[in-house]
């Protein structure tokens, strides 16, 4: 092992990274580079390798484009949600209004699903929704559109004070939303609501 460690050079590591580049994703390649550097540093510290790692090429991670729905696709999703209005959920909620409220609230607030399920009427002040993000503890405020407020008014009086969380468990709701997305002819999951809202905000504020 000690003899083999003597052959470790920046050149051979860089050759390995170039060889692997077309074979794996940039994230995998970056991780492999990190593992190699960790082993090299360890070998240097215990005296198996004479030189500290230097001159190793960096790996630039190519991030895929954000997957999100366009405004037209969101309208298609709302149309599909309306087609569920003849269906009553186990909780007594109207499935169409539940889906519409979820889509608008998720898109306009950019909130994670757990936060959406915890939203209560007490978080509303006129057209403003304020809450504390469960993941980060950050206070957030969003102004809601009239269609979103209308949908909330349809859902809120029927439940336990929560806006949509009372109507279904998160697992049950995921199946219903998946059916709605398929009916709209779209790909993706409810997570795309949050991404779509953030993407369109960035587009409006660009420059």
């Amino acid at each position: 092992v000690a003899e083999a460690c003597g052959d470790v050079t920046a050149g051979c590591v860089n050759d390995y990274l170039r060889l692997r580049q077309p074979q794996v994703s940039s994230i995998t390649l970056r991780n492999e580079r990190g593992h190699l550097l960790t082993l090299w540093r360890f070998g240097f510290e215990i005296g198996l390798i004479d030189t500290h790692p230097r001159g190793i090429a960096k790996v630039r991670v190519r991030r895929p484009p954000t997957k999100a729905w366009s405004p037209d696709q969101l309208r298609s999703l709302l149309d599909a949600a309306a087609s569920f209005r003849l269906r009553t959920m186990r909780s007594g909620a109207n499935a169409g209004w539940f889906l519409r409220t979820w889509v608008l609230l998720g898109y306009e607030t950019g909130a994670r699903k757990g936060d959406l399920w915890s939203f209560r009427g007490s978080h509303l002040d006129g057209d403003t929704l304020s809450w504390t993000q469960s993941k980060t503890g950050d206070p957030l405020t969003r102004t809601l559109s009239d269609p979103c407020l209308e949908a909330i008014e349809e859902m809120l009086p029927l439940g336990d004070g929560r806006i949509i969380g009372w109507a279904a468990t998160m697992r049950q709701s995921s199946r219903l939303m998946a059916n709605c997305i398929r009916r709209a002819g779209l790909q993706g999951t409810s997570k795309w609501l949050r991404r779509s809202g953030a993407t369109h905000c960035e587009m409006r504020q660009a420059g």
Side-chain angles (χ1 to χ4, degrees):
V1 174
E3 183 178 350
C5 286
D7 296 331
V8 176
T9 64
C12 70
V13 172
N14 286 332
D15 286 344
Y16 171 82
L17 294 176
R18 280 192 291 270
L19 178 67
R20 291 286 284 164
Q21 187 171 14
Q23 300 173 349
V24 297
S25 72
S26 58
I27 293 176
T28 299
L29 188 62
R30 183 184 63 180
N31 291 339
E32 290 184 2
R33 176 185 183 274
H35 296 328
L36 290 170
L37 290 178
T38 298
L39 291 171
W40 189 339
R41 291 189 188 100
F42 177 72
F44 175 73
E45 289 172 1
I46 64 175
L48 289 177
I49 302 175
D50 295 332
T51 60
H52 195 272
R54 292 188 183 88
I56 307 302
K58 292 184 177 181
V59 176
R60 180 176 295 177
V61 174
R62 300 183 300 275
R63 300 195 179 278
T66 301
K67 295 180 178 180
W69 289 313
S70 69
D72 285 343
Q73 288 174 321
L74 282 164
R75 282 189 281 272
S76 296
L77 187 60
L78 289 171
D79 289 343
S83 70
F84 284 81
R85 287 192 183 167
L86 295 179
R87 178 174 171 180
T88 301
M89 302 167 67
R90 291 180 183 177
S91 61
N94 181 283
W97 278 109
F98 168 73
L99 288 166
R100 179 177 177 82
T101 309
W102 182 2
V103 170
L104 291 172
L105 198 58
Y107 175 74
E108 295 187 14
T109 64
R112 293 177 174 84
K113 191 173 181 182
D115 287 337
L116 287 174
W117 252 241
S118 69
F119 285 165
R120 307 184 70 85
S122 57
H123 291 142
L124 281 167
D125 182 10
D127 62 356
T128 301
L129 182 75
S130 301
W131 78 101
T132 299
Q133 197 172 30
S134 59
K135 184 174 182 179
T136 65
D138 295 332
L140 297 174
T141 300
R142 295 289 185 270
T143 301
L144 304 180
S145 68
D146 288 342
C148 185
L149 292 170
E150 285 177 14
I152 290 173
E153 288 175 5
E154 289 288 336
M155 293 293 296
L156 193 54
L158 304 176
D160 58 4
R162 290 178 292 169
I163 296 175
I164 58 174
W166 64 272
T169 66
M170 287 196 284
R171 178 178 293 183
Q172 292 168 342
S173 66
S174 292
R175 291 195 292 267
L176 182 61
M177 179 60 80
N179 289 336
C180 184
I181 291 169
R182 282 194 295 270
R183 190 171 293 187
L186 302 176
Q187 294 181 332
T189 69
S190 62
K191 292 181 179 179
W192 287 32
L193 290 171
R194 184 167 179 264
R195 299 173 189 168
S196 301
T199 299
H200 299 153
C201 284
E202 289 175 2
M203 291 172 62
R204 288 195 297 268
Q205 296 174 4

